[in-house]
Structures are given as structure tokens and as C-alpha cells.
Amino acid sequence: MVTFKDFITRDLDYFFNLNEFAELHDIDGREVPAIVDSDILKIRSDNKYERYDGVYKGEVTVYVKASDFVSRPVFGQHLRLDGKLYLVVECNEVSGILEIVLGANES
């Protein structure tokens, strides 16, 4: 019997299709289909962007298929996205999708 979870797993290929939602991004030297969102954190909380004398903490959320990663990123790990170095702030997995929140101090 086919379950709802089976349908979701098959649908991941549609969400991460380069002709639909995803774009290729360089994640730690590997080209991976991903969805990058810098606005979702603004919606969730107003405190995500702290500013201190010209320096602010920028955060971005990256959605990728869990199967595209050998190991799941962990809090505090360095991760390079499109050539820019970030720290992993949070990483959650739901239905085969990793939601990786990355943070960096910027000026």
C-alpha cells in the first residue's frame, strides 16, 4: 500500500527540479539543487537581524534534499554557500528535506 510519505518522497524531485523551484548552488564545493530563502526568517521573528555599530547578523535558510548530503550539518559547523562562509545556526529534517539556517556577521 502506498502511503502519504511515499508520495511526498516522490514529489521531492519536483520541488528540487531545476526547471521548477530549485537552482544550483555551490555548497561546500558541490553543486546541489537547493532553494535559498532569506525572507522566511524575517517573517518568523523580528529579532533575527541584530545590529551593532555597522555590523549585523545576516541569516539565510537553505532547503535541500537530505539525500544530497553525506552527513547532516550540525550547529556551529562551518558551511560555505556560493563562496560565502557561514555557520550552521540550525538544521532540521522533515520528510527528506533539510532546512538549514545559516548565519554570518556582515558589515
Side-chain angles (χ1 to χ4, degrees):
M1 177 179 195
V2 179
T3 66
F4 181 68
K5 288 181 181 181
D6 295 327
F7 284 112
I8 289 175
T9 302
R10 280 190 287 185
D11 287 345
L12 289 180
D13 291 331
Y14 293 106
F15 285 108
F16 292 97
N17 181 330
L18 297 175
N19 294 321
E20 299 294 334
F21 296 110
E23 296 175 336
L24 278 179
H25 288 274
D26 183 317
I27 301 177
D28 279 344
R30 291 183 46 231
E31 292 284 320
V32 178
I35 300 166
V36 177
D37 186 354
S38 57
D39 294 328
I40 191 70
L41 296 170
K42 293 177 190 175
I43 294 169
R44 290 184 184 168
S45 172
D46 290 334
N47 296 327
K48 291 292 183 180
Y49 292 90
E50 301 171 6
R51 299 176 193 280
Y52 300 101
D53 293 330
V55 176
Y56 65 95
K57 182 177 181 184
E59 292 185 331
V60 64
T61 304
V62 180
Y63 299 93
V64 294
K65 288 195 295 188
S67 61
D68 286 340
F69 277 74
V70 176
S71 61
R72 181 176 163 177
V74 295
F75 175 80
Q77 174 182 333
H78 287 97
L79 194 136
R80 193 170 294 277
L81 173 66
D82 296 328
K84 184 172 181 180
L85 187 61
Y86 290 91
L87 286 176
V88 175
V89 174
E90 187 178 338
C91 182
N92 300 302
E93 181 177 355
V94 178
S95 301
I97 297 175
L98 290 178
E99 177 190 47
I100 308 167
V101 179
L102 301 173
N105 292 328
E106 300 179 1
S107 58

